Structure formats: structure tokens, C-alpha cells
Amino acid sequence: MNDYDMMVDAYKEAGGEDVFAESDVAHLVLERDKVLGAHKVEGLEVDAKKIAEDTVKVKVTIKEGYQIENTVHMCFGVLPKEGRQKIDMEVEVQKDAHVEVKADCVFPNAVKVQHIMDAVINVEQGGSYIYKEHHFHGENGGVEVIAKSEIYVKSHGSLVTKFDLLKGRAGKMDFDYEAHLDEHAKVDMLARISAQDDDVIKIRESAHLNGQYSRGVLDSKIALKDKAEAEIYNELTADAPGAMGHVDCTEIIKDNAVARAIPIVDVRHPEAKVTHEAAIGSVDSTQLQTLMARGLDEEEAAEVIIQGLLND
Amino acid sequence: MSKLLEVKDLNLKIEDTEILKGIDFSLEKGEVFALIGPNGCGKSTLAYTLMGINNYYPDKGELLFKGEKINDLKINERAKKGITLAWQEPARYQGVTVREFLSLGLKSKGEEVTEGKLANALNKVAIRPAQYMDRFVDKSLSGGERKRIELAALILMHPELIILDEPDSGVDVVALNNIADMINYFKDSGSGILLITHSEEMLNYADKAALICDGEIIRQGDTSSISDYFKSYCGPCAKSEECETEVAS
């Protein structure tokens, strides 16, 4: 079996759809610094090339006015037990263009793997970009993910990011997303992560509502057990009239896990409004006992509650 | 033949305070037994002790289910034997759909989950499956909707003993009628029901009743006599000489 087939198999095992043979679905498959597959559709350009050892530069452009009908599929990963993958990603969603991207990052055999993503995302006026990233890191906890995104959303543009890692080990994750919004622009950043053993999660999400009537939501839901640790730093600043935002962080902890939530709300205009909620605690006892009264044991009941929270 | 539930001289202390004192009653299959009492008299604590909630295990006395002592069993072990409890305030679950919630009871019994079974249970509680099956069991549902979905879950679980803790609390007239229908449905299906309430109207749905006051059952018998006594002396609680005379008698 060649690398491409192995990557696609790992992708499917992680829940990815079998779309790589479809001519009307754009895709990109990268294993470490190898471009194993790339397919474009009208209105969408994908340019990927190796620029250094373990490093690939990817440029995605959605041309002005194009609404890409089918979700673009990206599959990134490292197949061996050890390895490094660095992706320098540049995304340009031109004026009034729309695209939805589903990226699956798979490291099924990882013992000592590093995945670094450096992204710059520009959503031009009236453009719309939905980016759903799903990770599967295997059962060894040997993955380190360092993801940094610099995001600019111009007037009336919108960006949605949804990150999830719901099965297996998380390893070490260090996210740093920062978004700058012009007038009437919108951003939603959602993260759903389950961590266990000695996994360490660090998320810094920041959105600056600079334009009037801009909107921002930062929503993190994290479930931790064993000795896992998480620190979630959500920052929302608003300094224009009509700017509105909400920060929501929920963390469920079990065993000896440690969770910290640091919401920063910075409002500098009397007509702007930002709210925040943060809740850290164990599984709710009434929820747990209700499910146990239906015959589930404590572990099963806790899992239903945690998976529900993460699926919300 | 042994009774469905026998509670014998049940005592429970919480942090050195006696909450339940010498509780005695029994319940047959297909029977609705109402336990009425004012707020704070120990009704919900008794319900929780019967189910094993909050680690409430008797300090003294016996809980017998079909003749088997269940004092030390955990919540899920009692549930597997056929006992369940519907809370006064049903829990809400973020991200869990009505379909998933209803399926849990069937799965825990090893029974096949089919869309037809789930829809049938929802129809019985006047909830339209097409509109509700994919909704989350969270704060988007009203209290009445949650109670009816809880009852649908019980229909699928078909337990032998159902403890209904204040089923009429916080529901509208439609939901209340539905709850009354469900009590009759469970009774006709052969389940025993322990109906915990502070409302004498609910006694209309019971076969027999007991009055609990300050952690003790002070009277038990037919529902009309318990209802009359409750109306006379408990609403509001007079702590009157007449009441104490009755207790003494």
C-alpha cells in the first residue's frame, strides 16, 4: 500500500468521508512534506509545494464571487511513529466568495510527532469561510500540535472555525488564534476537545471587534480526565459602536485533571457589548444519577454527558 | 408471594440528623401508593433512599424489592433490578438528542433500539416524534416537555417499580393530564408506582396513601381519609393539639 492509500485509510478511520475520487470535490492530501494528492475546482486554486525539510507551503485562493458548492477536503498527517510536519498556510477568500473546508489531521501511529500549522487567513469584503478541523492523534499521546492563525475579516465578511478532537489521546496542543474584524464582520471560533492521561491543552483565542456592528463568539468546551491539564485563554475586545460578542468556556474535569479558564473582556466603546460565561466542574450529579437510574453504570453515564457536551 | 416493595423500619441520618424515622410501608405490583406530606418533611429523601441517590443508604431497617434486600445496592444495580425514579426537576443534557436519551434505557437492558419503539413512546406522552426526536434534551425544552420525555423514557424502560417525585410540580394542565394518563398506563402495565407529592389532588390517582411528617409516616390508609386529614391539619401545618392527638392515636 502506498503513502496516499495509507493516508486516505487513516483519514477514513478517523471519520473522514471518501470523496477523493470525486471530480467536483476539491481536495489536498499532505503526508509530512509530501503532496500526495491535490485537486482543484472552478473558482478555487490550491497550490502546495515543499519549501524546506518537513515543511510545505499551501496557498488556497477562492476567487471573487465564487461560491464553492462542495466542501473542500484536506487531509494532513504523519504516518510513521516519529516525524514532523510544518504547514505554512495562506488562505485568501476574495470579495463575495464562499467556501467550506473540512480538514482532518491524522497521526494514527504517533509516538513522537510534531505538527505545526502557521496560517494567515484573509476574508475579503462579503466573503465567507467555514473551516472545520478534526483531529485524530491515536492512543499514544505522542503528538504535539502547535497551531497559529492570524485572521483578518473585512467588512461584511464572516469566518467560522470549528475544531474537534473527541476520541483518543490529545497529546500536547498549543493553539493561538487571533482575529481582527472590520465593520459588520462576524467570527465564530468553536473548540471541542477531550483530553486524558497526561495530555496538555493550551488554547489562546482572541478576537478584536474593531469595526462597528462586528460580531464575535468564542466558545470552548473541554473534557479532561486522569492527569490532563487545560488552560483556555479567550480574549474578546470591542472598541466600535454596535460591536457585540460572547465568550463561553465550559470545562468538565474528572480524576486529577486540572482546568483553568481565563476570559478577558475588553470593551472600549459605550455602545459595544461583550458577555462571558465560564464554568469548570465535575459531571453534574443529577445528570449522572438520572442516567444511572436508567441502568447505566457511572462510567457509561459520565461518558454520555461528556460526549453530549462536546457534541453541543 | 412477596410484595413488590417493602420498607421496614427505615431510618436515615444525614450528618447526625435523623431525617427518616421508622418508615414502614409496602407496595404491590400494579398499585399506586401515594406518599403525601408538606415541603421539607423527608419525601424526596425517602425517594432518594429507595433509589440509592446521593449515597443515601439506610442506617437501620430494610428495603426489600420482590423479597430481596437492596439496602446496599448502587443506583444502577437497583435500576437493573427494575426500579427507577423520575425526578421532580428532570435533568437537562447539552448535546444529547431526545433520540439518544430515549435509547439509553433500552441499550442498558440489551434491547434493540428501533425508531418505531422510540416514536411510539413519544406519541404516548403527546410529543410529536418528527418535531422532537433530533432536539437536544437541554434548556430549549420547557419543564413540561422534559417531564413528558422523562415519562417516555420510562415507558421504554418498563420498570417494575417507578418512583415519581412530585410529578405535578411545574407543569401545565396539558402535561398534568398526560402525567395522570401515564400513571394509569404504568399501573395497567403492572408496574407499581410510588407517587411522592405535596398536593392532595394527586391522591385521586392513587390506590392507597400515607402521610409523612417530619420524617415519620403518621398515617396510612385509603386515599380519601389521608386527603381529608392532610387538608385539615397540614395545609398549612398547624402543629395543633388535634393533630398531635391524631398522631398519638
Side-chain angles (χ1 to χ4, degrees):
Chain A
M1 191 183 275
N2 62 29
D3 283 354
Y4 176 81
D5 291 334
M6 284 194 283
M7 272 300 282
V8 172
D9 275 1
Y11 164 84
K12 285 186 206 163
E13 262 182 51
E17 296 164 61
D18 187 8
V19 292
F20 296 108
E22 293 177 22
S23 62
D24 55 351
V25 176
H27 71 256
L28 175 66
V29 182
L30 301 180
E31 198 277 325
R32 284 172 290 169
D33 57 12
K34 287 177 283 188
V35 181
L36 300 179
H39 179 65
K40 303 174 196 178
V41 294
E42 190 184 343
L44 174 102
E45 288 185 356
V46 181
D47 182 26
K49 60 183 177 205
K50 177 177 173 175
I51 56 169
E53 188 67 23
D54 301 328
T55 305
V56 179
K57 182 167 179 57
V58 178
K59 172 124 200 283
V60 178
T61 306
I62 299 90
K63 291 185 174 173
E64 182 174 333
Y66 273 91
Q67 312 283 305
I68 306 302
E69 192 179 338
N70 294 317
T71 299
V72 176
H73 288 256
M74 294 185 181
C75 179
F76 307 138
V78 174
L79 287 172
K81 291 178 180 175
E82 296 189 8
R84 181 176 182 269
Q85 180 178 54
K86 183 171 187 289
I87 301 171
D88 288 343
M89 173 81 79
E90 190 185 331
V91 176
E92 186 187 358
V93 180
Q94 295 182 349
K95 190 180 172 199
D96 297 326
H98 165 78
V99 69
E100 178 171 333
V101 174
K102 185 172 183 290
D104 285 77
C105 298
V106 290
F107 313 97
N109 310 307
V111 175
K112 191 179 176 191
V113 163
Q114 192 179 46
H115 172 79
I116 302 167
M117 172 74 81
D118 254 330
V120 177
I121 300 166
N122 282 293
V123 180
E124 298 296 335
Q125 187 183 340
S128 155
Y129 183 49
I130 298 172
Y131 183 72
K132 296 178 179 173
E133 187 169 314
H134 168 71
H135 276 230
F136 178 67
H137 292 182
E139 303 299 332
N140 298 315
V143 177
E144 181 182 14
V145 175
I146 302 168
K148 188 171 182 208
S149 288
E150 210 38 53
I151 298 161
Y152 300 91
V153 187
K154 299 288 169 54
S155 66
H156 296 274
S158 79
L159 172 98
V160 176
T161 65
K162 291 183 178 176
F163 177 90
D164 75 69
L165 189 158
L166 304 177
K167 301 275 183 213
R169 294 285 306 277
K172 288 188 172 57
M173 300 176 67
D174 187 348
F175 282 25
D176 185 352
Y177 288 4
E178 183 150 14
H180 305 267
L181 284 81
D182 288 352
E183 68 271 13
H184 294 278
K186 292 191 290 187
V187 66
D188 282 88
M189 292 192 212
L190 316 176
R192 304 288 184 261
I193 299 172
S194 167
Q196 56 191 291
D197 210 317
D198 60 354
D199 294 340
V200 177
I201 311 295
K202 194 173 175 188
I203 296 177
R204 179 182 172 273
E205 287 179 330
S206 201
H208 305 291
L209 309 178
N210 304 321
Q212 57 183 353
Y213 299 103
S214 51
R215 299 277 187 273
V217 175
L218 308 178
D219 182 351
S220 308
K221 294 196 167 44
I222 316 288
L224 305 167
K225 65 180 182 181
D226 306 322
K227 297 176 290 176
E229 292 187 23
E231 180 175 296
I232 313 300
Y233 178 101
N234 291 130
E235 181 185 11
L236 205 46
T237 68
D239 56 7
M244 286 181 77
H246 182 67
V247 178
D248 196 335
C249 178
T250 306
E251 297 181 70
I252 286 186
I253 57 168
K254 288 172 70 183
D255 311 317
N256 297 312
V258 177
R260 280 179 287 273
I262 307 156
I264 307 273
V265 172
D266 183 342
V267 178
R268 297 177 182 218
H269 194 285
E271 291 169 40
K273 186 178 179 182
V274 176
T275 53
H276 77 84
E277 286 177 72
I280 298 179
S282 57
V283 176
D284 179 83
S285 66
T286 305
Q287 291 180 334
L288 194 72
Q289 293 181 123
T290 298
L291 298 182
M292 290 177 73
R294 302 287 171 269
L296 279 70
D297 68 32
E298 192 168 344
E299 277 297 309
E300 292 168 334
E303 197 55 27
V304 168
I305 295 162
I306 288 167
Q307 287 304 320
L309 176 85
L310 296 173
N311 289 334
D312 191 23
Chain B
M1 193 175 138
S2 57
K3 294 177 184 296
L4 185 64
L5 175 71
E6 287 178 274
V7 179
K8 293 181 176 176
D9 191 26
L10 173 68
N11 287 261
L12 177 79
K13 282 184 190 173
I14 299 175
E15 293 173 354
D16 292 332
T17 304
E18 274 193 304
I19 305 295
L20 299 175
K21 305 161 195 167
I23 302 284
D24 276 298
F25 70 92
S26 64
L27 173 58
E28 307 277 359
K29 209 173 168 204
E31 185 177 60
V32 181
F33 185 96
L35 189 71
I36 191 168
N39 288 331
C41 68
K43 300 187 301 294
S44 290
T45 304
L46 175 57
Y48 293 171
T49 309
L50 296 176
M51 194 71 227
I53 303 293
N54 296 343
N55 292 320
Y56 289 172
Y57 296 110
D59 293 298
K60 189 183 152 200
E62 280 189 326
L63 298 177
L64 301 172
F65 182 67
K66 295 195 290 187
E68 183 188 348
K69 193 172 171 180
I70 59 166
N71 284 38
D72 300 324
L73 296 187
K74 291 179 184 171
I75 304 168
N76 55 309
E77 291 169 335
R78 295 183 201 201
K80 288 214 183 278
K81 290 206 174 288
I83 307 172
T84 198
L85 180 140
W87 269 255
Q88 178 177 350
E89 188 74 42
R92 295 167 198 274
Y93 297 88
Q94 275 180 277
V96 176
T97 62
V98 169
R99 177 184 284 102
E100 288 162 342
F101 181 74
L102 294 178
S103 303
L104 293 172
L106 286 172
K107 284 180 184 166
S108 78
K109 293 181 79 170
E111 289 184 21
E112 188 192 1
V113 177
T114 67
E115 198 72 1
K117 284 182 189 175
L118 307 183
N120 189 36
L122 285 177
N123 282 325
K124 278 199 167 67
V125 295
I127 292 268
R128 290 181 184 172
Q131 287 179 5
Y132 282 83
M133 203 70 97
D134 293 318
R135 286 183 65 180
F136 289 137
V137 187
D138 61 8
K139 60 187 175 187
S140 66
L141 296 174
S142 71
E145 288 170 327
R146 276 294 298 110
K147 284 217 171 187
R148 282 189 275 165
I149 287 165
E150 185 92 339
L151 289 171
L154 298 190
I155 290 169
L156 290 161
M157 199 185 165
H158 46 85
E160 290 181 77
L161 172 63
I162 304 170
I163 305 161
L164 294 175
D165 188 11
E166 306 275 9
D168 56 328
S169 141
V171 298
D172 57 26
V173 176
V174 177
L176 188 59
N177 287 337
N178 204 254
I179 287 164
D181 289 344
M182 281 301 99
I183 290 172
N184 289 327
Y185 168 82
F186 289 126
K187 177 181 156 72
D188 292 344
S189 308
S191 298
I193 297 170
L194 178 63
L195 183 59
I196 309 274
T197 185
H198 67 275
S199 155
E200 72 260 22
E201 284 85 11
M202 292 305 289
L203 296 184
N204 294 327
Y205 307 111
D207 300 306
K208 60 183 187 182
L211 174 61
I212 183 169
C213 179
D214 196 20
E216 288 181 81
I217 288 183
I218 58 171
R219 284 193 150 238
Q220 39 182 316
D222 63 86
T223 54
S224 60
S225 70
I226 298 296
S227 178
D228 290 345
Y229 188 91
F230 183 75
K231 276 189 275 193
S232 303
Y233 299 111
C234 306
C237 173
K239 290 275 181 197
S240 62
E241 278 184 22
E242 291 92 333
C243 169
E244 283 168 5
T245 305
E246 290 284 348
V247 174
S249 70

